[in-house]
Amino acid sequence: MSERPLSATATFEQRLARVWESAPDEAGWVTTTDHKRIGERYIVTAFLFFVLGGIEALVLRAQLARPEIALVDPAMYDALFTMHGTTMIFLFATPILSGFGNYLVPLMIGARDMAFPRLNAFGFWVFALSGVFLYASFAASSIPQNGWFAYAPLAGPRYSPETGMDFWTLGLVFLGISTTAGAINFIVTIAKLRAPGMSIDRMPLFVWNILVTAIAMLFAIPSLTVAAALLELDRVAGTRFFDPAAGGSPLLWQHLFWIFGHPDVYIIFMPAVGMVSSIVPVFARRPIVGYTALAVSSVTTIVISFGVWVHHMFAVGIAAQALGVFSAASMLIAVPAGVQVVAWIVTIWAGRPVWTTAFLFAVGFVVLFVLGGLTGVMVAAVPFDWQVTDSYFVVAHLHYVLFGGMVFPLFGAFYYWFPKMTGRLLDERVGALNFWTMFVGFNLAFFPMHIAGILGMPRRVYTYPAGAGLDAVNLVSSIGAFVVALSVALFVANAAVSLRRGRLAGRDPWQANTLEWSTASPPEPFDFARLPAVASRDPLWGPKVANAREPAALATAWRQTTATSALEARPELFLRMPGDSIWPALAAAALLALFGAILFRFLVLVPFGLALLFALVARWLWPSPETPGAHVGARPGPRELPVGRAPGWWGMALVVATDATIFALLLASYGYLGFAGNGPWPPPGSERPQLAIPLVGTVVLLASSAPIAWAEAGIRRGDVRRLAIGIGIAMALSAGFVVLQAIELTRKAFAPQTNAYGSAFFTITSFHGLHVIVALLLGAVLLVRAWRGGLDRERHLAVQNVALYWHFVGAVWIVILAVLYLSPQVTG
Amino acid sequence: MGAWPLDPRGPVAAQIAFVYWILFACAVVVLAIVTGALVYSGVKFRERPGHVAKQFHGHNMLEFTWTIVPTLMVISFTVLSWQKLDYINAVDRDTGMTVKAIGQQWSWTFAYPQQDTFRLPDGSYLMAGEELNIPAGMKVKVELSAKDVIHSFWVPNLGGKKDAVPGHTTALWIQADRPGTYRGQCFEFCGDGHADMLITVVAHDQNEYATWAKTAVDDAARLRDPKTQAGREAFLTGACAGCHTVKGTTAAAKVGPELTHVASKRDIAGVLSPVNQENLTKWVRNAPSIKPGIVMPKFEGVLTDQQINDIVQWLLTLK
C-alpha cells in the first residue's frame, strides 16, 4: 500500500489505487503481489529461458548440419540436448503459460487479484530461482547429460556420479513447488473469484483450459517429484530404488516419469488451445461454435492423458494386453482433439475472418497441430511405434505438437494481448513477416526429421555417418532452425520498438468479447474500479456489463474482491486480500539454500533449512494487525451474504489432495517393486514387520484427531481455552507417535541402503513421520496465535486448516499401516 | 538398400510397412481436408463490405458427425495394429534359432545357441561382438539383456525394436528374407558413446551358414588357445577392449584401430615395422613416445611387465 497522501476530494479510483498500488521503490519491486506484474515477470523470465533453450538447439543443429563433424564433443552434445529439453519443457513452456494465466485469469473473470496473491509471488520467485539453480550447472561445469527424461540406471549414482544430475533432480523438485503452488492458486481463483453471474458455462474457454490444466498439474507434478526425489535419494543417500542388483527397477523410473510426462504434454498444450479459442472467435467476428464441445474436449483430453503413459514405453517389453489397451487409449485422444479442430474451422467458416497476425498464428497452429496429431496417431499404433520410437520421427512429431501446438498459439497471444499489457499495438506488417518466417522455418526444420527417422536416424546422437542418406535432410533441418531463430529475433525487435512507438491501443483494439478488454490498457493496479456482473458468455458483445454489488467503503479500506459460488457464481463473501509482503521472496530464497545444501552434500544443514523455511512461511501467513481506522462498521461480509467455504480452506484441501497423490505414488512404487521383482517380498533377510509397536502408535495417532476436532468445535463458539487444551492433548499424542516410530525404525534389521525394499520402507515411513512433525509445529503455531489473541469466533480459518491436515496425516497412516505392515503378514 | 517402408527385407518390416502406408495415406487425406477447409473458409469468407457473420451456437448433426468420424477412424487403426501386434510379438512361434544379444556401454555382444555347430574346443560356445550372423530365411529370436544401462536394438530394414533393460530379459524376432548386410544401432540413449553403438546383421545363405559358423568357431578357438589365455583375458577385461575391436571376441570398440589381424599387418600405426614381439612390446609400453599426440596412453607402470608380455603373445596369434 503506498504512503502517498490522499486529498479529501480524492475520487473512488484514486482511493482504490492507493490500497492496490505497490510501493514505487525497489522494496515494492520485491514485495509486490500484483498478479499483472507477476504475470509479466513470468512471461519475460520464461522468454529468456526460451532464448537460452533456443541457442542450445541452434548449437545442436549446427553440429548435425554436416555428418561426422566435431563442433561440440559427445559429452557437450548430451549436455546441450538435456538442457534444451529441460529448459523448453520446464522453464519456458509451463511458466510462460502460467504467466499469461496469471495476467489474464483475474481480468477475464472480473476479479481484482488471484485468490492467494502472496503464494503467487512465492511461485514466481521459486520458478526464477530454480531456473538459476539449473543453469548454475553451467557455471559449475557439471551439466546434466542424461536427457530431459533422465532414465535410470544411466542417471543413477553408478553411471552418472557427477554433480550434473543432482542439479537436474533437485532443480525439478524445487521447480515443482512453484508449479504446484500456481496450480492451487488457479483452481481456487477460478472456482471462487469469478464475477457474479459468470456461471461455469459462461467462463471464457481460456479460463476453462487453465482450470483443467491446473487440476492436471495437481495430480501430475507429484509423480515427477516422487521420481526425482527417489533418484536423488539413490544418489545422495545410497538407497536402491533403481538398482536392479538390489531389487530396484529401472522401469519404475519410466513409469513414474511418464505418469507425469504424458499429462505434462497436455499441461503445456491446453492453455495454448485456450489462447486459440480466445483469438479465433474475436477475429472470425462471431461467438465460438461448439463452446460446450470445446470445454468437454479439454476435460476429456486431460482425463485420457493420465491413462496413456505406457505409450512412451512400448518397446521396453510390456505384456501384449497392456500394449493393446494403452495403444487404444492413446489413439482415443485424437477424438477430442479432432472435435476442437473442427470447432475452430466451423467458427471461421461461419464468420468473416480478419487476417491479423494473431489470427495467422492461430490458423498456422491448426495446420501444424493436425499434422502433429496425425503422426501421434501413427506412433500410437504399436507396430509402427516399434519401428520409429526413439528415432527422429518422434523428434518431428513432438515438435509439431509442442512447437506447433504451443509456440504458435503463444506468438498469436503475444500479438493479441501485448496491447492490453503495454497499451501499445505490435506492428502488424512485421507481424506477418514474423509469422511467415516462423511457419516456413519451422517446417524446414522439422518436416525433414520425419524422413530422417524413417531412414533410421536415432535421437540423441551427436553425429551420423556420411553417405547413409541423412546428409541432405539434416542440412535442411539445420537451415530451418536458423530461420526460426531469425523469426524470433524479428519478434523481439518488433516488441522493443512497439513498446515505445507502437500505435496506442485504447481499451479494446480488437472489438473483443471478454472482460479484460473492458479495463484500461494497461489495467489499473485494481483491475476493475467497479467489479462487473456478467450475464452472457461474451459479455462485451452482449448488453452493457452491469456493476456487481460491493460496499464501496470496504473496497477502499483494504484490498477487496468478491468470492462467489463455484458453479453458479452467486456472491458469497467479500474477501479482504493480503497486502504486499517480503516473506514469499525470502521463503523462496530459503528453499534455494536448502536445495543448495543438498546439492553440495552439506546434509547437516538440511534440518536447519527446513526449520528456517517453516518459520518464514509461518511469518508470511501470520495475520497482519487490523489497520487502525480501516474498520467501517462491522467486519466485512460474512453475514451479509450466504457463507461458503473460504478460499483458504479450498487451498488447504488442494494441498492435501496433491500430498495424498505423493503418498499414493510412493505406496504404488513399493507395490511395483514387490510385484516386478522376482523373489519374495519383503526379500529374504528383511524380517516380516513386527506389529506391536506400530499398532500402539496407530491408536495413539488416530486418537489425536479427536481432541483436534473438539478444539475446532470449541473455537467456532469462541472458546479459546478449549482450543488450547484440545491442541495440547493432540500434540502430546502425536509426539508419542513420533517417539514410538523412532524406536520402531531404529530396531529394524535392515537399512534404506540394504535393498529396494528397505529403501521404500524407510522412505515412506520417514516421509510420513515428517508430516507428523509438521503437524506438531502447526499445532504450536496455533497455540501461540491463541495465546496472542489472534483466534476467535470470527477468525479461525487456520484452525480449520490445521484440523484438516491433522486428520489427513492420520488417514494416510492407516493406508501405510495396511500396505507396509499388514499386507506382508498375508503374502509374506 | 532403400528405406524400410519402400524396401522391407524381412516379414516384420514388411508387416509394419503395410501398417505405415495405410496410416500414411489416411494422414495425408485428413491433412489435405483440414488445410483445405481452413484456407477456403479463411479466404472465401474473409471480412469485406456487406458480408455479415452467421450467428449460430450449436448444430447437433455437425457435432455428432465430427465426433463419430474420428472415432471410427481410430477404432480401425486400433484393430489393425492389434492384429499385427500378435504376429510381431510371437517370438517363440516357429522359431529356428535363438541368439542372445547383450548390450553394454557401448557395444553389443552376441551369444550363439548352445549347439554343436557353435561349440568351441574348450567347451564354451561361440560369443562375439560386432556382427550378428544369421541364416537368411529363418526366424531368429533375439533375447535382449543389458549389463549396465538401458539399450535398444533396432535394425530398420528387418524391423521391430526392443529395449535391453538391466535386470530383466526381453525378446524380439528378426528374419532376413535374403542374404545381405543390414545396419542398425542402439536406439536408447546410453551415454556419451550412444551414437557409436552400432549393430551389423549379416544374413548368409542357409547352405553357407554352416561354413560361416565353422570359420567363426575356428577363429574363436584360435583366439581362445589355452597357451595365450592369460593375455586374452588381460586384453578383454582391461583397458584394451575399451578402444579396440578384435572380431570374434567381445572387444568391439571403435576408438582405436581394429586389431583382428594385427599380426599380419606390415607395421604398427604406420611407424613401427615389422610387427613382432619386440616392437609390439615397445608400442604397448609407451606409444606416445613413438608417435607423439596419439590417443593411446602409455601402459608402462599401468600394467605389469608380465601382463604386457601376455597381451603381446596373444596379439601375435591374431593373423
Side-chain angles (χ1 to χ4, degrees):
Chain A
M1 197 181 297
S2 82
E3 303 301 320
R4 187 156 49 86
L6 211 54
S7 79
T9 58
T11 62
F12 180 63
E13 275 78 4
Q14 283 168 328
R15 288 173 193 279
L16 268 179
R18 198 174 77 108
V19 295
W20 282 95
E21 267 168 7
S22 300
D25 53 9
E26 291 78 7
W29 193 85
V30 180
T31 59
T32 187
T33 55
D34 183 335
H35 73 95
K36 299 177 291 299
R37 289 177 73 177
I38 292 169
E40 286 166 353
R41 282 173 190 183
Y42 263 109
I43 293 170
V44 171
T45 313
F47 195 86
L48 289 176
F49 283 118
F50 175 61
V51 172
L52 281 178
I55 292 170
E56 285 151 6
L58 291 179
V59 179
L60 299 179
R61 279 320 317 173
Q63 163 66 23
L64 292 179
R66 307 299 310 141
E68 296 170 18
I69 59 173
L71 187 69
V72 290
D73 63 18
M76 181 48 90
Y77 188 89
D78 298 344
L80 289 175
F81 77 66
T82 299
M83 288 307 283
H84 168 70
T86 304
T87 303
M88 289 306 198
I89 297 277
F90 295 109
L91 300 177
F92 158 63
T94 315
I96 205 160
L97 294 168
S98 288
F100 274 91
N102 256 305
Y103 195 99
L104 293 171
V105 164
L107 290 168
M108 280 188 169
I109 64 174
R112 292 206 180 100
D113 206 334
M114 297 283 284
F116 308 116
R118 290 181 179 177
L119 188 65
N120 209 20
F122 175 71
F124 169 76
W125 293 115
V126 170
F127 153 58
L129 291 179
S130 65
V132 170
F133 185 89
L134 268 162
Y135 268 84
S137 64
F138 278 87
S141 307
S142 185
I143 313 167
Q145 289 188 11
N146 293 312
W148 86 285
F149 51 95
Y151 274 7
L154 182 59
R158 186 156 186 197
Y159 299 102
S160 299
E162 309 81 11
T163 317
M165 267 320 291
D166 299 304
F167 278 108
W168 190 88
T169 47
L170 293 167
L172 290 192
V173 174
F174 189 6
L175 179 62
I177 296 167
S178 161
T179 321
T180 305
I184 290 171
N185 214 345
F186 279 127
I187 295 171
V188 179
T189 303
I190 295 170
K192 297 303 293 176
L193 301 195
R194 299 198 308 277
M198 187 181 279
S199 51
I200 196 124
D201 57 344
R202 287 177 184 159
M203 276 182 352
L205 283 165
F206 178 75
V207 178
W208 255 107
N209 281 14
I210 292 282
L211 174 65
V212 169
T213 304
I215 294 172
M217 283 175 175
L218 206 59
F219 297 105
I221 301 292
S223 201
L224 175 67
T225 304
V226 168
L230 299 189
L231 181 58
E232 185 59 18
L233 280 174
D234 270 13
R235 298 178 57 84
V236 70
T239 55
R240 316 293 285 271
F241 286 104
F242 305 115
D243 181 358
S249 164
L251 294 186
L252 172 64
W253 169 267
Q254 296 192 16
H255 282 291
L256 288 171
F257 186 78
W258 292 118
I259 286 174
F260 151 78
H262 201 79
D264 193 52
V265 172
Y266 293 92
I267 285 171
I268 291 168
F269 175 61
M270 276 296 149
V273 165
M275 291 168 162
V276 173
S277 291
S278 298
I279 293 170
V280 165
V282 168
F283 296 112
R285 295 280 177 252
R286 54 150 300 126
I288 193 131
V289 175
Y291 173 92
T292 313
L294 282 163
V296 171
S297 295
S298 299
V299 176
T300 322
T301 305
I302 284 291
V303 171
I304 301 175
S305 79
F306 275 88
V308 301
W309 79 90
V310 169
H311 77 212
H312 296 266
M313 304 166 60
F314 278 161
V316 302
I318 299 265
Q321 295 84 343
L323 288 178
V325 171
F326 280 100
S327 165
S330 306
M331 292 209 183
L332 207 57
I333 284 203
V335 176
V339 168
Q340 291 172 324
V341 168
V342 177
W344 295 317
I345 294 180
V346 176
T347 303
I348 298 170
W349 194 289
R352 48 182 179 102
V354 188
W355 287 90
T356 57
T357 306
F359 188 68
L360 266 177
F361 273 106
V363 170
F365 149 82
V366 176
V367 175
L368 301 179
F369 170 61
V370 168
L371 208 161
L374 288 167
T375 53
V377 171
M378 292 172 80
V379 291
V382 181
F384 182 68
D385 182 78
W386 277 343
Q387 197 70 345
V388 297
T389 187
D390 281 313
S391 82
Y392 259 87
F393 189 90
V394 176
V395 181
H397 160 69
L398 81 91
H399 282 92
Y400 270 85
V401 174
L402 289 179
F403 196 118
M406 182 268 167
V407 180
F408 274 76
L410 177 74
F411 275 76
F414 281 139
Y415 280 88
Y416 183 61
W417 279 298
F418 187 87
K420 178 50 60 190
M421 296 176 179
T422 65
R424 289 177 186 274
L425 290 150
L426 284 165
D427 188 279
E428 283 283 310
R429 271 172 313 173
V430 179
L433 192 61
N434 186 183
F435 169 77
W436 284 110
T437 44
M438 189 173 287
F439 190 79
V440 171
F442 172 84
N443 284 294
L444 277 180
F446 294 104
F447 195 83
M449 290 185 188
H450 293 109
I451 302 166
I454 298 257
L455 289 173
M457 178 162 168
R459 305 172 72 171
R460 300 148 190 159
V461 289
Y462 68 93
T463 194
Y464 50 92
L470 297 171
D471 305 19
V473 282
N474 275 293
L475 183 61
V476 173
S477 277
S478 296
I479 293 170
F482 282 87
V483 176
V484 172
L486 175 74
S487 178
V488 174
L490 263 178
F491 169 77
V492 173
N494 193 358
V497 173
S498 301
L499 202 53
R500 290 183 192 79
R501 276 184 273 160
R503 197 154 58 79
L504 285 173
R507 282 177 181 256
D508 182 10
W510 312 120
Q511 294 91 52
N513 52 348
T514 41
L515 286 176
E516 76 271 27
W517 300 104
S518 71
T519 64
S521 302
E524 304 279 0
F526 46 82
D527 292 358
F528 299 91
R530 306 284 175 182
L531 288 174
V534 169
S536 73
R537 259 177 214 164
D538 303 296
L540 267 52
W541 285 350
K544 193 170 176 303
V545 176
N547 292 332
R549 196 169 67 88
E550 182 186 41
L554 293 184
T556 53
W558 46 57
R559 295 182 181 182
Q560 177 172 282
T561 196
T562 307
T564 54
S565 64
L567 293 178
E568 290 164 329
R570 277 197 302 264
E572 279 184 345
L573 292 167
F574 298 121
L575 294 175
R576 181 185 169 185
M577 308 298 277
D580 290 356
S581 168
I582 186 70
W583 304 109
L586 291 181
L591 269 177
L592 178 67
L594 179 65
F595 283 103
I598 303 174
L599 180 79
F600 293 114
R601 303 292 190 256
F602 294 134
L603 299 182
V604 58
L605 294 178
V606 170
F608 296 100
L610 286 170
L612 176 66
L613 182 66
F614 185 88
L616 288 168
V617 173
R619 179 64 191 82
W620 141 20
L621 293 173
W622 199 264
S624 51
E626 305 273 331
T627 317
H631 277 87
V632 182
R635 286 182 192 284
R639 271 160 299 168
E640 287 181 45
L641 297 166
V643 180
R645 292 274 194 188
W649 185 88
W650 285 100
M652 191 65 204
L654 294 175
V655 169
V656 165
T658 196
D659 202 12
T661 312
I662 291 183
F663 275 109
L665 287 161
L666 284 172
L667 290 166
S669 301
Y670 170 90
Y672 181 83
L673 289 169
F675 172 75
N678 299 322
W681 185 260
S686 320
E687 85 286 15
R688 189 183 291 185
Q690 298 292 311
L691 289 181
I693 296 180
L695 285 178
V696 176
T698 305
V699 172
V700 172
L701 182 69
L702 295 184
S704 75
S705 267
I708 283 287
W710 183 72
E712 189 193 346
I715 196 65
R716 277 179 201 278
R717 285 192 254 132
D719 189 342
V720 181
R721 213 173 91 88
R722 187 170 138 185
L723 174 77
I725 295 172
I727 292 175
I729 296 172
M731 285 176 67
L733 288 169
S734 288
F737 172 83
V738 172
V739 172
L740 285 171
Q741 269 301 100
I743 295 170
E744 148 76 2
L745 290 182
T746 48
R747 288 181 4 159
K748 285 284 170 208
F750 56 89
Q753 294 83 3
T754 310
N755 48 32
Y757 170 78
S759 307
F761 189 94
F762 274 92
T763 303
I764 293 169
T765 47
S766 309
F767 188 58
H768 179 266
L770 191 64
H771 277 70
V772 181
I773 292 170
V774 169
L776 282 170
L777 291 169
L778 290 173
V781 171
L782 283 187
L783 284 182
V784 176
R785 265 184 75 175
W787 175 59
R788 298 276 300 267
L791 294 169
D792 55 35
R793 183 202 289 261
E794 304 276 324
R795 295 171 52 134
H796 56 259
L797 180 62
V799 182
Q800 285 178 290
N801 284 352
V802 172
L804 176 64
Y805 180 80
W806 208 288
H807 302 321
F808 162 69
V809 172
V812 164
W813 176 254
I814 298 176
V815 185
I816 293 175
L817 180 79
V819 174
L820 293 192
Y821 288 91
L822 300 182
S823 77
Q825 314 295 331
V826 188
T827 60
Chain B
M1 203 174 303
W4 61 268
L6 297 167
D7 192 11
R9 294 296 180 94
V12 174
Q15 293 291 330
I16 297 178
F18 175 74
V19 174
Y20 168 73
W21 285 118
I22 290 179
L23 292 169
F24 179 77
C26 293
V28 169
V29 171
V30 173
L31 185 67
I33 292 175
V34 171
T35 312
L38 255 182
V39 172
Y40 175 80
S41 60
V43 174
K44 165 107 186 190
F45 305 118
R46 72 188 178 279
E47 186 185 40
R48 55 191 190 276
H51 179 69
V52 181
K54 290 192 270 304
Q55 305 284 328
F56 66 90
H57 262 281
H59 193 299
N60 287 341
M61 194 54 216
L62 203 62
E63 290 182 22
F64 179 74
T65 315
W66 83 47
T67 314
I68 208 72
V69 170
T71 309
L72 288 177
M73 283 181 77
V74 300
I75 289 175
S76 347
F77 294 155
T78 306
V79 171
L80 176 72
S81 76
W82 279 4
Q83 281 178 342
K84 304 298 177 196
L85 194 62
D86 178 56
Y87 177 78
I88 300 168
N89 246 345
V91 288
D92 290 316
R93 198 188 295 153
D94 305 323
T95 305
M97 177 175 156
T98 300
V99 182
K100 291 190 169 70
I102 303 128
Q104 68 247 306
Q105 287 177 330
W106 289 283
S107 62
W108 293 92
T109 303
F110 302 102
Y112 291 84
Q114 304 201 346
Q115 295 165 356
D116 287 346
T117 327
F118 303 105
R119 192 180 159 93
L120 269 57
D122 66 355
S124 68
Y125 292 90
L126 184 63
M127 197 165 166
E130 185 91 352
E131 280 176 10
L132 171 58
N133 289 269
I134 58 171
M138 183 187 278
K139 178 168 176 175
V140 179
K141 176 182 177 185
V142 183
E143 276 182 9
L144 294 160
S145 59
K147 276 192 178 163
D148 38 38
V149 303
I150 302 176
H151 303 280
S152 189
F153 183 97
W154 188 39
V155 181
N157 289 74
L158 301 182
K161 180 184 293 133
K162 257 309 155 41
D163 291 354
V165 183
H168 86 171
T169 314
T170 53
L172 82 167
W173 67 274
I174 54 174
Q175 177 175 327
D177 291 333
R178 276 171 284 160
T181 302
Y182 306 91
R183 306 215 178 266
Q185 67 190 95
C186 173
F187 260 73
E188 184 62 80
F189 178 68
C190 56
D192 292 347
H194 172 53
D196 303 317
M197 191 168 161
L198 307 177
I199 301 167
T200 304
V201 174
V202 181
H204 302 266
D205 188 286
Q206 285 208 10
N207 303 321
E208 290 160 20
Y209 189 64
T211 318
W212 167 81
K214 179 149 188 347
T215 318
V217 166
D218 287 349
D219 284 350
R222 179 166 52 77
L223 294 168
R224 294 175 74 89
D225 187 342
K227 277 181 282 183
T228 52
Q229 193 179 345
R232 176 178 168 275
E233 273 169 17
F235 185 95
L236 293 180
T237 57
C240 314
C243 291
H244 295 286
T245 292
V246 176
K247 279 195 184 157
T249 74
T250 54
K254 301 274 185 295
V255 179
E258 182 180 331
L259 302 180
T260 310
H261 304 292
V262 65
S264 313
K265 293 245 168 90
R266 274 187 302 130
D267 53 50
I268 302 170
V271 290
L272 266 184
S273 186
V275 181
N276 59 20
Q277 179 169 359
E278 186 198 345
N279 282 337
L280 271 174
T281 306
K282 253 204 258 177
W283 181 258
V284 176
R285 276 179 191 281
N286 196 344
S289 72
I290 302 164
K291 191 172 180 180
I294 195 172
V295 179
M296 180 158 158
K298 75 179 215 188
F299 282 97
E300 196 169 22
V302 180
L303 298 173
T304 63
D305 284 352
Q306 180 65 47
Q307 281 173 321
I308 291 174
N309 189 43
D310 289 345
I311 289 169
V312 168
Q313 289 303 331
W314 184 63
L315 289 177
L316 287 168
T317 67
L318 302 181
K319 288 185 175 139

